[in-house]
Amino acid sequence: MTTFIQLHLLTAYAPSNLNRDDTGRPKTAIMGGVERLRVSSQSLKRAWRTSETFSALLNGHIGARTRRLGREIYQQLLSGGVAEDAALSIAGNIAGKLGAIKKDKNATPIQSLDIEQLVHISPEERSRINQLVNELITTQREPKEDELNIKQLLGEQAQGVDIALFGRMLASNPEFNVEAACQVAHALGVSAVAVEEDFFTAVDDLNRKDEDAGSAHMGEQGFASALLYSYICISRDLLLQNLNGDEALLERTLRALTETAITVSPTGKQNSFASRAYASYVLAEKGECQPRSLSVAFFNPVRGEDQLMQAMTSLQQQYQKFARAYDMHSELYQLNVENGEGTLAGLLDFVAK
């Protein structure tokens, strides 16, 4: 049976604009007949995997998502003394094995090295490509056909922790796809929200006091405040498989993801709102039962003055309702900042053991 780790988070955000839509307005969703503040799972995952916390805890094991690998190879070849035409040819040949090269008749030769879609490359794979490039620089030659074999470039299995957690899809080489071991729900407000608009002006500091120049700029930006419910589900067994059976790295990854998820906020409009927040409550589950979100606890929006306490109670009660109805019980750990129950260290030990 598969072991699942499930994290249920409640994080309170003061007025902010964590994740914007195409109009600059905070993202929302209708749930239970009312509008809720929403932060997309894509926004959450990017904030986590690019954070200093995640990088420090998993240094050397994090890959990169890019379309510009061909440009990087090209610059590496030029720096090694390879002629420009040869560098363009080699870089294009290598990049073209990882994905379809972008076709644009107006693109410069360097822009024509870009891959159409983002490719997630692990540190081990980047190192393997670097070795090939350095060999070509040393020998001043074009790569041989077998050196451009995709299995030579990417290897049998990526071990980047971000790929292991969040998966990878290579449309041109589906055999190197990686199934995500971690599923992340969109974070949703537990109560109804009213998105407001902040009208602002900027004044030219060099305006003369005797001049009535008015503002140099006027604008508006949306903001909202909410207590967000977040849900994360991790297949421990699949994560271990994606990490090639490395138990030590598995433990580091689980600790890093958990700490990052409860302490790192999305980066949207941080300079304007300083909307950094830690989770006030975490309910962690571990077991072999089929996982499920507890979002139904908030289909009826939380109302009243003490929304945090109400939300925590609703989550706990919803867990008990499911456990009683389906006779499915998991190991539990609670981090409750408000009443002093649990610690970050205790939570990390629970999810990693």
Side-chain angles (χ1 to χ4, degrees):
M1 293 289 290
T2 299
T3 298
F4 294 101
I5 299 166
Q6 300 177 80
L7 302 175
H8 308 273
L9 282 60
L10 291 173
T11 309
Y13 284 97
S16 56
N17 192 343
L18 299 168
N19 186 205
R20 290 165 282 171
D21 64 17
D22 57 344
T23 68
R25 187 177 186 268
K27 289 184 177 180
T28 59
I30 301 296
M31 187 172 80
V34 299
E35 189 173 32
R36 314 294 184 96
L37 191 65
R38 176 173 66 93
V39 177
S40 71
S41 57
Q42 182 182 20
S43 173
L44 292 170
K45 289 185 286 187
R46 175 164 175 79
W48 297 343
R49 67 181 181 81
T50 60
S51 68
E52 292 184 3
T53 300
F54 197 70
S55 297
L57 294 170
L58 292 167
N59 185 37
H61 295 282
I62 302 173
R65 297 176 67 192
T66 183
R67 297 186 306 169
R68 300 167 61 95
L69 188 60
R71 298 195 194 197
E72 297 292 320
I73 295 171
Y74 168 73
Q75 292 296 337
Q76 190 177 347
L77 290 164
L78 282 185
S79 299
V82 176
E84 183 175 357
D85 288 346
L88 285 169
S89 173
I90 294 171
N93 284 334
I94 295 176
K97 295 297 182 180
L98 303 176
I101 295 297
K102 186 176 180 179
K103 295 180 180 179
D104 183 353
K105 63 181 182 181
N106 297 319
T108 66
I110 296 177
Q111 291 172 337
S112 297
L113 297 174
D114 291 347
I115 301 169
E116 284 189 340
Q117 294 182 323
L118 289 170
V119 176
H120 208 152
I121 302 295
S122 74
E124 296 81 9
E125 291 166 340
R126 187 68 177 96
S127 176
R128 190 175 293 112
I129 293 171
N130 281 341
Q131 290 177 6
L132 171 60
V133 173
N134 288 332
E135 169 67 17
L136 299 178
I137 290 172
T138 300
T139 57
Q140 291 290 299
R141 62 176 175 82
E142 293 273 344
K144 301 174 183 176
E145 189 59 36
D146 63 323
E147 292 174 319
L148 292 177
N149 186 296
I150 190 65
K151 292 184 178 181
Q152 287 291 108
L153 295 175
L154 296 186
E156 292 299 322
Q157 193 166 10
Q159 201 176 12
V161 294
D162 44 348
I163 296 175
L165 283 169
F166 305 128
R168 175 172 73 182
M169 187 186 76
L170 292 178
S172 301
N173 301 284
E175 66 271 29
F176 292 95
N177 291 349
V178 178
E179 183 180 354
C182 176
Q183 300 171 343
V184 180
H186 290 225
L188 286 172
V190 304
S191 60
V193 69
V195 176
E196 301 178 72
E197 297 293 333
D198 177 33
F199 173 77
F200 63 91
T201 64
V203 177
D204 190 327
D205 292 340
L206 298 184
N207 277 354
R208 290 173 53 185
K209 293 183 179 180
D210 59 347
E211 291 180 343
D212 185 17
S215 63
H217 174 74
M218 294 185 295
E220 60 181 28
Q221 58 184 355
F223 67 89
S225 173
L227 175 65
L228 296 180
Y229 167 66
S230 304
Y231 173 66
I232 303 166
C233 178
I234 308 162
S235 168
R236 189 185 192 280
D237 302 72
L238 181 55
L239 181 57
L240 181 61
Q241 176 183 321
N242 288 349
L243 294 174
N244 299 331
D246 190 330
E247 286 278 0
L249 185 55
L250 169 72
E251 180 177 331
R252 285 180 61 188
T253 301
L254 290 172
R255 287 177 176 273
L257 176 66
T258 302
E259 181 173 347
T260 302
I262 67 177
T263 62
V264 172
S265 302
T267 57
K269 290 288 185 178
Q270 281 291 357
N271 290 341
S272 298
F273 294 101
S275 48
R276 299 183 181 274
Y278 284 7
S280 294
Y281 178 75
V282 181
L283 173 62
E285 301 182 61
K286 185 167 56 178
E288 296 180 346
C289 299
Q290 182 68 19
R292 77 284 167 271
S293 166
L294 298 177
S295 60
V296 67
F298 305 115
F299 262 73
N300 289 324
V302 174
R303 293 183 172 89
E305 295 182 357
D306 199 353
Q307 293 190 2
L308 178 56
M309 292 303 297
Q310 291 180 54
M312 288 190 292
T313 300
S314 295
L315 268 184
Q316 294 161 355
Q317 291 177 346
Q318 192 62 54
Y319 170 80
Q320 293 298 336
K321 290 175 184 178
F322 277 134
R324 181 173 57 252
Y326 293 99
D327 192 26
M328 298 164 64
H329 300 270
S330 304
E331 295 181 65
L332 297 179
Y333 188 94
Q334 297 184 70
L335 171 59
N336 189 329
V337 175
E338 297 305 303
N339 69 10
E341 178 184 359
T343 63
L344 174 61
L347 174 63
L348 299 184
D349 287 342
F350 173 80
V351 299
K353 71 179 181 180

